[in-house]
Amino acid sequence: MNKTTMHTSKLVSVKIFGLLVTMTSFSIMSFAQEQKPKEDWEGDIESREIVIQNERQISLPKANRNFDKIPPKPSETAIKAPVTYDFRSFSFQAPQINPQVRPLKLKVESPSDVYGGFLRLGYGNYASPLLEGYINNRKDKNKLIGARIYHSSSGKGPVDGKNSGSGMSSLSLYGRSLNDDIALSGNLGFENRTTHFYGYPKGEPIGKDSLKQSFNLIKLGGELSNSRNSDLAYKLGANFSYLADKYNARETEVDLAFKSGYKIDDDSRLDLKADYTVITRKDSKVDAKPRSLFTVAPSYEFLPIEDLKLSVGLIAAYENDSIDSKNFHVYPNFKATYPLSPSVDAVGFLSGGMDKVSLQTLTNENMWVAPNIAIFHTNRVLDFGAGLNARLGNKVEAHTGLSTTLLKNWYSFVNREGDPSKFNTIYDRGATRRTNFYVALSYAQSELAKFMVRGDFYSYGPGDFAEVWHRPTSKLTANASINVYQKLIFSADVIAQAGMKALNPETNAVVKLPGAFDLNFKAEYLFSPTFSAFVQLNNITSNKYPIYLNYPVRGFQALAGITWSF
């Protein structure tokens, strides 16, 4: 008998024996219950002894441990597939390539590549040198210190060569510092402008020394403001300037300006603007006398109804000019904006104010003013206008509007009797009406391409005078620029105006000035991120239009130069 059979027999015997013992126990317990009446079951259980003897012994012979091992699988003969090689000729015909040749593209500069210095040098016809440069400190987010130098001149002009030369030079220093709470900035500068009184009659002998005019200007200014956005914003500025011409005119000006705003909530805020100016001028026939102008303009901005943004306030002004007996003036100051659609806003305003006029502002507009001219502020009695602002996508904007302004003591330039090369200022003490209709369109695609065009149309209703002198009735300005592969930069602009009238001082006749058209173009090629060359063409059509009576501009002008960043 093998080991498996013996183990099975032993297990069966044990199970039978256990079953017999269990059945015997149940039989004895049943018999005991039957022999005793039911009522006698209560009480002590009679003691009995049961003896179970197991005298049987099972013995099995010792088995032999013989195992048959699985024989190894016979090895198979390796099958090798036959390998064949097929060599075929392969022909590939690529399409013809017509590569487009284009300039090398420069890598876009990161903010860390910003240069601290810049220099531009050039030279053009009419003996016109150009110099421009600036230098700043770099990589200091809390401090900026820099200097700028500029010079542009033409030794010759449109009339009699050197008799109509002009130029401008300037040097300025500036700085700005800020911390977590305030920002402080300041500037100091010197400026020189030169010209000639070349509006003299043809053939009249003129001494060159008496033709030249120059203005020297010294400027000093500073500003204090909070350095980060907050509900309460403020800005306090102070400026000083001193102007002197080649002859006897001197002017000192001090300006103080304060601007503050408090944000009440997302829909409302309070604003306050205040300016104080004191001007002192002296000339050969004008005694030094301070002219003061103080204006204050509080306003409240809120939403009276949904989407309508309204600003309500007033402007109060005090001045001591002698041209008007009234020194204190009050004007309304209302502005409104309402969205007609997600891309179109309607805007309107009703305002006024006192516009500062000084020798500095007049000579910035007309450098050929005569000595001892009259200077008074302009009273903008009422200024009303409405318009539409539209956004056509993310790159195109359009604007149109109409405004009407009533101006009192508005000045005009009139050639001086006996010396038509110089201009006097005359003031219309009545209310002059000026109406302006404008249309503007602009397109901008980052720094790659930009375009802007605007047209203005004016009409005038003089007060006490027959005409408004040297003011255009139409004006067109347009400019465009394109950056080709960050390598070539082209820009062009057009300036055109018409409708100006002048008064002949000798005959008192009205002179209609020819229209102006000025087309300019500039191209710049970047050899590297730091070096480039440019060509600039001005007044390409060589239209010698007059900007004032007897004062034509230069014809075609060409200027070429280089720029260097470091």
Side-chain angles (χ1 to χ4, degrees):
M1 181 184 295
N2 57 27
K3 183 178 180 181
T4 304
T5 304
M6 180 185 66
H7 179 73
T8 305
S9 299
K10 183 177 179 180
L11 183 59
V12 170
S13 299
V14 172
K15 289 183 177 180
I16 293 173
F17 176 75
L19 180 61
L20 291 175
V21 172
T22 303
M23 294 176 63
T24 303
S25 300
F26 277 107
S27 299
I28 295 173
M29 293 176 62
S30 300
F31 177 79
Q33 292 178 1
E34 293 175 356
Q35 294 298 323
K36 191 173 183 179
K38 184 175 181 180
E39 60 271 10
D40 294 338
W41 287 4
E42 297 178 357
D44 295 335
I45 300 175
E46 184 179 358
S47 177
R48 299 292 179 98
E49 182 180 355
I50 299 173
V51 178
I52 300 174
Q53 293 183 351
N54 185 11
E55 296 178 352
R56 185 178 177 179
Q57 294 182 357
I58 300 175
S59 60
L60 297 174
K62 189 175 182 180
N64 296 325
R65 300 175 60 87
N66 293 324
F67 300 96
D68 294 334
K69 297 182 179 180
I70 300 174
K73 184 178 180 180
S75 60
E76 297 179 356
T77 304
I79 299 175
K80 295 183 178 181
V83 179
T84 60
Y85 298 93
D86 184 11
F87 297 95
R88 299 179 182 180
S89 60
F90 182 75
S91 177
F92 175 76
Q93 183 66 36
Q96 186 177 1
I97 300 176
N98 296 319
Q100 297 181 357
V101 179
R102 52 186 179 182
L104 178 64
K105 184 178 180 179
L106 296 179
K107 184 177 69 173
V108 178
E109 295 181 349
S110 63
S112 60
D113 296 330
V114 176
Y115 302 100
F118 172 85
L119 182 64
R120 183 191 301 269
L121 298 172
Y123 192 83
N125 61 335
Y126 289 99
S128 304
L130 171 67
L131 167 65
E132 182 180 8
Y134 67 80
I135 185 169
N136 302 316
N137 65 321
R138 301 171 57 189
K139 299 181 179 180
D140 191 339
K141 63 180 182 180
N142 295 325
K143 186 192 309 181
L144 173 66
I145 300 175
R148 181 180 183 270
I149 186 172
Y150 179 81
H151 174 80
S152 176
S153 64
S154 295
K156 299 178 181 180
V159 177
D160 296 337
K162 295 182 178 181
N163 285 359
S164 53
S166 62
M168 177 180 176
S169 302
S170 65
L171 176 64
S172 60
L173 305 174
Y174 49 87
R176 179 177 174 84
S177 178
L178 57 90
N179 56 27
D180 293 337
D181 298 317
I182 63 173
L184 181 65
S185 62
N187 63 84
L188 172 64
F190 171 78
E191 180 181 291
N192 171 264
R193 295 177 297 148
T194 60
T195 187
H196 290 78
F197 294 104
Y198 63 89
Y200 50 83
K202 294 182 179 180
E204 182 176 323
I206 299 293
K208 293 183 179 181
D209 293 339
S210 62
L211 291 178
K212 190 174 182 180
Q213 171 66 296
S214 65
F215 297 93
N216 294 320
L217 177 66
I218 299 175
K219 298 184 292 184
L220 174 66
E223 186 178 88
L224 176 69
S225 64
N226 48 346
S227 59
R228 55 185 176 181
N229 294 331
S230 63
D231 292 341
L232 177 61
Y234 65 90
K235 183 183 294 184
L236 176 64
N239 292 280
F240 168 83
S241 65
Y242 176 77
L243 177 68
D245 73 351
K246 183 185 175 184
Y247 302 99
N248 300 311
R250 304 289 185 268
E251 183 181 72
T252 302
E253 182 175 333
V254 177
D255 295 298
L256 300 176
F258 175 75
K259 181 180 180 181
S260 178
Y262 177 70
K263 180 180 178 182
I264 301 174
D265 53 40
D266 293 338
D267 298 329
S268 59
R269 61 179 289 120
L270 290 171
D271 291 300
L272 177 64
K273 297 179 182 179
D275 297 277
Y276 176 71
T277 301
V278 57
I279 303 171
T280 303
R281 178 176 68 111
K282 188 179 184 307
D283 211 331
S284 58
K285 297 181 180 180
V286 177
D287 296 330
K289 179 183 178 181
R291 299 173 55 229
S292 299
L293 174 61
F294 174 73
T295 61
V296 58
S299 63
Y300 173 57
E301 183 180 297
F302 64 104
L303 297 177
I305 61 175
E306 186 178 0
D307 295 334
L308 175 60
K309 181 183 292 185
L310 186 63
S311 177
V312 179
L314 61 86
I315 299 174
Y318 174 83
E319 46 82 22
N320 63 346
D321 278 345
S322 59
I323 193 172
D324 202 341
S325 58
K326 184 178 178 181
N327 295 330
F328 183 72
H329 313 271
V330 179
Y331 312 91
N333 189 18
F334 299 99
K335 298 178 182 178
T337 303
Y338 184 78
L340 301 178
S341 71
S343 59
V344 179
D345 295 335
V347 297
F349 63 89
L350 175 63
S351 185
M354 189 66 64
D355 298 331
K356 180 182 70 175
V357 179
S358 64
L359 181 62
Q360 187 176 156
T361 61
L362 291 175
T363 56
N364 285 336
E365 187 175 349
N366 185 346
M367 294 182 63
W368 302 286
V369 294
N372 305 303
I373 59 173
I375 301 178
F376 302 104
H377 300 307
T378 299
N379 186 356
R380 193 158 30 91
V381 179
L382 187 65
D383 195 0
F384 169 78
L388 296 174
N389 298 329
R391 298 168 296 278
L392 309 178
N394 297 326
K395 300 175 183 179
V396 180
E397 292 186 1
H399 309 274
T400 185
L402 177 68
S403 66
T404 298
T405 308
L406 294 180
L407 301 165
K408 192 175 181 180
N409 304 328
W410 196 29
Y411 62 88
S412 292
F413 295 108
V414 175
N415 296 73
R416 192 175 189 177
E417 185 178 358
D419 187 0
S421 65
K422 298 180 177 65
F423 293 87
N424 285 328
T425 53
I426 59 174
Y427 292 82
D428 193 335
R429 302 182 65 173
T432 302
R433 176 186 50 80
R434 179 185 63 191
T435 302
N436 174 215
F437 172 73
Y438 67 90
V439 178
L441 180 68
S442 63
Y443 169 84
Q445 183 178 357
S446 183
E447 295 296 326
L448 298 179
K450 295 180 180 180
F451 173 78
M452 189 280 293
V453 60
R454 172 167 174 149
D456 288 270
F457 303 91
Y458 301 95
S459 65
Y460 305 98
D464 295 341
F465 294 158
E467 297 286 349
V468 175
W469 310 113
H470 289 111
R471 305 284 183 180
T473 57
S474 61
K475 188 175 182 180
L476 173 69
T477 57
N479 60 72
S481 65
I482 184 171
N483 191 328
V484 182
Y485 300 113
Q486 302 293 327
K487 200 63 176 171
L488 286 168
I489 301 175
F490 299 103
S491 61
D493 62 81
V494 174
I495 301 174
Q497 67 179 28
M500 286 204 304
K501 298 178 181 179
L503 178 65
N504 187 323
E506 305 299 332
T507 62
N508 286 329
V510 177
V511 180
K512 295 183 178 181
L513 299 181
F517 182 80
D518 203 324
L519 174 62
N520 308 308
F521 176 79
K522 181 180 178 181
E524 185 172 8
Y525 183 80
L526 282 71
F527 293 96
S528 72
T530 61
F531 184 77
S532 66
F534 68 91
V535 174
Q536 183 172 331
L537 307 177
N538 295 331
N539 199 2
I540 296 176
T541 59
S542 194
N543 180 15
K544 295 185 178 182
Y545 58 90
I547 50 178
Y548 293 102
L549 181 62
N550 302 329
Y551 278 89
V553 300
R554 293 180 179 86
F556 173 75
Q557 302 163 65
L559 179 73
I562 59 173
T563 61
W564 175 46
S565 301
F566 55 92

